Amino acid sequence: MNSFTHYGQFMKFTLPEPDQKDVCNLCDKEVGKDNLITGKNANICFECSDLAKQLADEKRKEMAFKQVRELGDFLESIEGGTSMYEIAEKIYDAGYRKVE
Ligand SMILES: [Zn+2]
């Protein structure tokens, strides 16, 4: 609360605006520049950075799981008796590539 009544008189004060170089742009907390990773257009505090890493890892895991399932479904659709080279060709033709 930035206002109060003192002897019947309404008093109001304003807090100084925090320096934007000390503020996390994700959670808006003023943590100080030593606790921020500063980017060109935004700052992120360590806490938000840890959370973002955790969320990114979960997303990557979900995406990998989905792609492995899709590849599994594709491999199951290939007829038995097909040579490994033909299977490899079918995998390649389907767009799967080795990640460098
Ligand atoms: Zn933050």
Side-chain angles (χ1 to χ4, degrees):
M1 204 59 162
N2 294 349
S3 61
F4 60 99
T5 307
H6 183 68
Y7 290 107
Q9 196 166 356
F10 184 71
M11 310 292 276
K12 194 175 178 180
F13 61 93
T14 52
L15 293 169
E17 282 294 312
D19 187 339
Q20 286 307 303
K21 287 189 208 82
D22 294 327
V23 175
C24 171
N25 295 116
L26 280 182
C27 66
D28 274 344
K29 283 183 196 154
E30 187 180 1
V31 295
K33 61 179 177 299
D34 291 341
N35 296 306
L36 287 168
I37 296 161
T38 53
K40 196 175 167 193
N41 299 312
N43 303 325
I44 184 170
C45 72
F46 297 158
E47 208 175 300
C48 284
S49 174
D50 289 345
L51 185 62
K53 169 80 170 86
Q54 201 181 314
L55 292 172
D57 285 347
E58 281 171 26
K59 279 270 180 198
R60 285 189 193 101
K61 218 170 153 184
E62 278 172 30
M63 282 160 58
F65 180 77
K66 200 176 154 217
Q67 286 180 9
V68 167
R69 294 298 297 222
E70 279 173 17
L71 180 57
D73 290 344
F74 174 73
L75 290 173
E76 279 195 342
S77 75
I78 296 172
E79 286 173 54
T82 310
S83 81
M84 282 300 162
Y85 287 110
E86 286 169 329
I87 291 171
E89 195 177 356
K90 284 178 191 296
I91 291 169
Y92 189 86
D93 290 345
Y96 292 100
R97 297 291 183 276
K98 184 179 175 184
V99 178
E100 296 299 333

